[in-house]
Amino acid sequence: MMSTISPVFSTELTSVPAFETGFTPWDISHLFSVFDSSMDQIPVSAHDYGSVNQISTDVALTESTDERKKKRKLSNRESAKRSREKKQKHLEEMSMQLNQLKTQNQELTNQLRYVLYHYQQTKMENDRLRMEHRSLQDKLLNIRQVLMFRQIERSSLNCSTWPCSNSTVVTVQQDPSIML
């Protein structure tokens, strides 16, 4: 059985309507004249239909494979985009957290400096007060000793009127709280 396949290119498509601006494209019919002379009608036998069916099946498989590849590529691009966006979001969150931690660290450092400064001031004042306390204790001890010696002197002066022994021993204690 013989049938015909019309040529791929035809001179029928050579007239192109004018553009709305009034410009008419050039005539391209001479470009297709090579195809018109050699391929007016190509005979095809029934034997060739099997290979045409095979070709159409192969083309369909190739198209479905190409379509799957395109879908996979698109899916991969979208996944990569989501991954980049997620990474960028995570990076921004880490950057914000870093800034917060730096601020918090600076605040804690300032608080530590404040506490250390006041600790040093308090320690110096405490040391000064301890030294003053020792000095005042020494003065108090000296005053008590002086008072004690005066009492002893008075008592020895009064001894002439009172009977007393000359063997009186006076001891001075170092702890001022006992002397009161």
Side-chain angles (χ1 to χ4, degrees):
M1 170 174 205
M2 292 289 286
S3 73
T4 60
I5 297 177
S6 60
V8 176
F9 298 105
S10 169
T11 56
E12 296 171 7
L13 298 174
T14 58
S15 70
V16 179
F19 292 114
E20 292 177 4
T21 60
F23 175 76
T24 305
W26 58 91
D27 183 22
I28 57 169
S29 61
H30 64 281
L31 295 176
F32 298 107
S33 63
V34 174
F35 297 111
D36 287 339
S37 63
S38 63
M39 297 181 147
D40 282 339
Q41 290 186 349
I42 301 173
V44 177
S45 65
H47 174 271
D48 291 335
Y49 281 123
S51 62
V52 169
N53 286 339
Q54 181 63 36
I55 291 172
S56 65
T57 305
D58 290 344
V59 169
L61 287 176
T62 304
E63 287 177 357
S64 67
T65 303
D66 288 343
E67 194 63 32
R68 284 196 307 261
K69 284 181 182 179
K70 286 179 184 178
K71 285 182 182 179
R72 189 169 51 245
K73 281 183 180 181
L74 181 63
S75 175
N76 287 346
R77 280 189 198 116
E78 290 172 354
S79 176
K81 183 179 178 183
R82 285 191 305 269
S83 179
R84 284 190 303 272
E85 289 171 352
K86 183 178 177 182
K87 184 178 179 181
Q88 182 65 30
K89 182 180 177 184
H90 180 69
L91 184 63
E92 289 171 359
E93 288 173 355
M94 291 291 107
S95 179
M96 287 174 44
Q97 186 177 3
L98 175 66
N99 290 336
Q100 289 174 347
L101 290 174
K102 281 182 178 180
T103 302
Q104 185 180 10
N105 189 23
Q106 187 62 45
E107 289 173 358
L108 290 173
T109 301
N110 291 341
Q111 288 178 0
L112 179 63
R113 285 183 184 147
Y114 178 82
V115 167
L116 288 175
Y117 172 78
H118 285 288
Y119 165 77
Q120 289 294 336
Q121 294 297 317
T122 305
K123 186 176 183 300
M124 287 172 36
E125 179 68 13
N126 196 19
D127 291 344
R128 186 191 64 77
L129 289 173
R130 283 187 179 155
M131 286 178 55
E132 185 179 340
H133 178 259
R134 283 188 202 125
S135 173
L136 290 174
Q137 272 185 329
D138 290 344
K139 285 182 182 181
L140 181 63
L141 181 61
N142 288 337
I143 291 172
R144 284 187 178 165
Q145 286 176 352
V146 168
L147 286 174
M148 186 70 100
F149 284 129
R150 284 190 182 168
Q151 281 181 347
I152 292 173
E153 275 182 11
R154 280 189 193 155
S155 72
S156 62
L157 290 176
N158 288 337
C159 248
S160 59
T161 58
W162 290 85
C164 65
S165 72
N166 288 339
S167 64
T168 308
V169 177
V170 177
T171 59
V172 179
Q173 295 180 359
Q174 294 293 324
D175 189 4
S177 62
I178 296 175
M179 302 280 291
L180 295 174

